[in-house]
Amino acid sequence: MKAVASMLVLALSSAAALQLPQTPASSVRRRSPPPSLNEAMTKDRIEKMIADNKVLLFMKGDKIQPQCGFSNTAVMILKAVTESAGCDFQTFNVLADNDVREGIKKHSNWPTIPQCYIDGEFVGGCDLLIEMYQNGELAEMVEKAAAS
């Protein structure tokens, strides 16, 4: 019995000797998990859509049937400025693809939908489109994009 007790003490003391020193939680660096393959593919899709369209609106619904008031307002503004510039705009219905819905928010670092891109540049949401429409900035951007 004494031999078993001695072996147990030896095993416990060896295990204690192998323990790592305690590190305060505040000094431990936590890595964020790598983006999933799906997130990377979604990011690529979003970037391609933006690059392939001079004027693109990520919205709820589509330009024929907007599904929220903010998207409807954005569509009406873009129709007005693109018609006067002699070009058209494209839309993407985020309600049909939740990966894009969440991915576009990360891409732009903007929390709401709709989101407008002109010539590859994030312009903003409904409130900024209204402001830029009223001061003429939006028409200038669309005309420049249409000419390029």
Side-chain angles (χ1 to χ4, degrees), residues 58-81:
F58 291 91
M59 61 178 288
K60 294 177 182 174
D62 57 40
K63 61 180 154 182
I64 305 299
Q65 191 170 9
Q67 297 294 306
C68 84
F70 297 113
S71 291
N72 186 49
T73 300
V75 165
M76 291 179 4
I77 290 170
L78 289 176
K79 277 183 181 178
V81 295

Side-chain angles (χ1 to χ4, degrees), residues 33-48:
S36 70
L37 180 58
N38 192 38
E39 285 179 37
M41 289 172 55
T42 300
K43 183 179 182 215
D44 289 345
R45 284 179 54 213
I46 289 169
E47 289 174 354
K48 182 167 176 21

Side-chain angles (χ1 to χ4, degrees), residues 104-125:
I104 195 63
K105 293 175 188 178
K106 287 180 184 175
H107 181 79
S108 63
N109 197 25
W110 190 263
T112 59
I113 303 292
Q115 293 188 14
C116 181
Y117 286 80
I118 298 176
D119 229 1
E121 180 184 339
F122 175 60
V123 176

Side-chain angles (χ1 to χ4, degrees), residues 10 18 24 38 47 57-58 62 64 91 102 108 120 125-126 129 136 148:
L10 180 61
L18 293 175
N38 192 38
E47 289 174 354
L57 183 66
F58 291 91
D62 57 40
I64 305 299
T91 62
E102 294 308 315
S108 63
C126 182
L129 289 178
S148 66

Side-chain angles (χ1 to χ4, degrees), residues 4 13 16 32 44 53 60 122:
V4 173
S13 63
S32 56
D44 289 345
N53 294 283
K60 294 177 182 174
F122 175 60

Side-chain angles (χ1 to χ4, degrees), residues 7 11 18 22 31 34 52 57 63 65 81 84 88 92 112 116 131 134 137 143-145:
M7 287 175 54
L18 293 175
Q22 292 294 325
R31 293 184 188 172
D52 289 351
L57 183 66
K63 61 180 154 182
Q65 191 170 9
V81 295
S84 67
D88 196 13
F92 184 89
T112 59
C116 181
E131 181 181 323
Q134 290 173 339
E137 239 181 303
E143 287 169 11
K144 184 178 174 183

